[in-house]
Amino acid sequence: MPIEPETQARERKDLAEALRGLRHASGLSGERLALRCNMSQTKISRIETGRALPTVIDVERILNALAVPDEVADELLRLTRRANVDYASWRAYARVGLYHKQAELRALESSSRVMRHFLPAVPTGLLHVREYATETLSPTVASDPVRDVSRTVQARMDRQSILDDTSRSFWFLMTEQAVKWQRASTEAMAAQCAHMAEVNTKPNVEMGIVPQGVQVPGTPMNIFVVYDDRLVTIELFSGEVVLRDPRDIAQHLNLFDLFWSHALTGDDASEFLEEAVHGFMRQRN
């Protein structure tokens, strides 16, 4: 299924027009429909004019209120699920400056209360020391887009102040590979692991590490972050996918819980990180 920006825009426009047309065909005013759906009339208007993207649950409530036939409802729900998927390539972010992506993440984090990071390959930027961040943000292959690395690194470092906001909770779940994959010098790797052990002492942070050798009935395929119960972001080599369907969110929450149940947590996670520090220091010597 293509999820290029032009396709996304067209499908969202089609969805808005279809919902507006169904309401008109039913003879209901926006106010009456809003009452039946337990929504505000303003929200109905914004959905029908395409200024707000409805969730799958929103559309289900509207279709039920309009008594839409099952075959029509099924098609519109499929359209809604497609419309609730975003994709942006790293090339697109690089064209406007990857530091803008850091600002977008900062805004998303500032509007969320509970954030769950599943990190099978690399620690998230909220946990990076500067040298490690520089390495991970630098181009690695010829096809990588050009970016302002120093500005993006600084924007990433500035984001980390949110970890001190105790009104928000952060769950960081990593594999042993994510901790130990040598993405930077041994000195930087040691500093990175020591820093994560320190972050793990924050009262609003929970850190888990799934060690190698533990049998887990699942495969850690992608980095993902769940923001409250609103949306999931999934990181790919080429870009980022955003999911808003409640079923997709529930699926990723369940996956997070599965892997968390096999992880070292609390003091055990800190001890694992401290042992990793010693391991990298021994490599240096």
Side-chain angles (χ1 to χ4, degrees):
M1 179 191 70
I3 46 176
E4 290 300 318
E6 296 81 4
T7 303
Q8 293 173 335
R10 183 176 64 253
E11 289 185 337
R12 291 175 183 184
K13 181 181 178 182
D14 290 347
L15 178 61
E17 290 177 350
L19 292 173
R20 184 169 66 249
L22 287 170
R23 179 180 62 78
H24 286 164
S26 74
L28 284 180
S29 67
E31 290 181 354
R32 290 291 301 277
L33 177 59
L35 285 172
R36 289 191 181 188
C37 296
N38 195 27
M39 295 182 187
S40 69
Q41 193 276 330
T42 301
K43 182 173 182 177
I44 292 292
S45 175
R46 287 175 59 81
I47 288 172
E48 291 185 351
T49 55
R51 290 178 294 160
L53 176 64
T55 67
V56 176
I57 291 175
D58 289 336
V59 173
E60 285 178 338
R61 290 161 66 184
I62 290 170
L63 297 176
N64 287 336
L66 295 174
V68 174
D70 288 346
E71 61 274 14
V72 176
D74 288 344
E75 178 58 33
L76 281 176
L77 287 171
R78 282 194 292 271
L79 179 60
T80 306
R81 293 186 182 100
R82 292 197 300 270
N84 271 275
V85 175
D86 286 331
Y87 171 77
S89 71
W90 299 129
R91 293 188 303 276
Y93 282 124
R95 281 196 294 270
V96 298
L98 278 177
Y99 52 86
H100 287 301
K101 175 59 179 174
Q102 298 300 310
E104 179 184 306
L105 287 170
R106 188 169 192 166
L108 186 53
E109 289 155 358
S110 297
S111 66
S112 304
R113 290 294 173 186
V114 181
M115 286 149 272
R116 296 173 176 85
H117 293 250
F118 181 62
L119 308 161
V122 64
T124 181
L126 285 176
L127 298 175
H128 287 181
V129 295
R130 186 175 294 274
E131 185 177 347
Y132 190 90
T134 301
E135 288 293 335
T136 60
L137 287 168
S138 297
T140 55
V141 295
S143 55
D144 279 344
V146 176
R147 73 282 302 267
D148 185 337
V149 173
S150 60
R151 188 170 182 181
T152 307
V153 167
Q154 187 56 53
R156 176 172 284 183
M157 305 310 290
D158 291 343
R159 271 177 57 213
Q160 296 178 2
S161 62
I162 199 167
L163 293 172
D164 295 320
D165 183 349
T166 55
S167 69
R168 307 179 197 286
S169 351
F170 300 87
W171 296 65
F172 300 110
L173 176 54
M174 292 174 276
T175 62
E176 181 172 346
Q177 174 175 299
V179 173
K180 294 183 177 179
W181 186 270
Q182 191 158 344
R183 192 62 178 78
S185 68
T186 52
E187 292 85 351
M189 294 300 299
Q192 177 63 36
C193 291
H195 177 66
M196 291 192 292
E198 181 181 354
V199 172
N200 196 32
T201 65
K202 292 181 181 292
N204 58 330
V205 169
E206 297 286 344
M207 197 170 291
I209 301 169
V210 181
Q212 292 178 1
V214 172
Q215 184 174 345
V216 182
T219 304
M221 297 181 64
N222 299 100
I223 293 172
F224 66 80
V225 185
V226 185
Y227 294 90
D228 296 324
D229 57 357
R230 298 181 295 140
L231 60 87
V232 177
T233 62
I234 302 171
E235 191 169 324
L236 310 174
F237 273 120
S238 60
E240 183 182 66
V241 176
V242 179
L243 305 175
R244 297 182 180 84
D245 187 325
R247 297 180 304 176
D248 292 328
I249 295 168
Q251 169 75 358
H252 285 80
L253 287 171
N254 289 338
L255 285 168
F256 190 93
D257 289 343
L258 168 67
F259 286 102
W260 186 269
S261 69
H262 293 79
L264 302 172
T265 59
D267 292 341
D268 291 334
S270 292
E271 182 178 343
F272 183 95
L273 291 167
E274 288 159 5
E275 289 175 357
V277 172
H278 297 318
F280 284 118
M281 296 299 287
R282 284 193 297 271
Q283 285 185 43
R284 186 185 66 175
N285 298 329

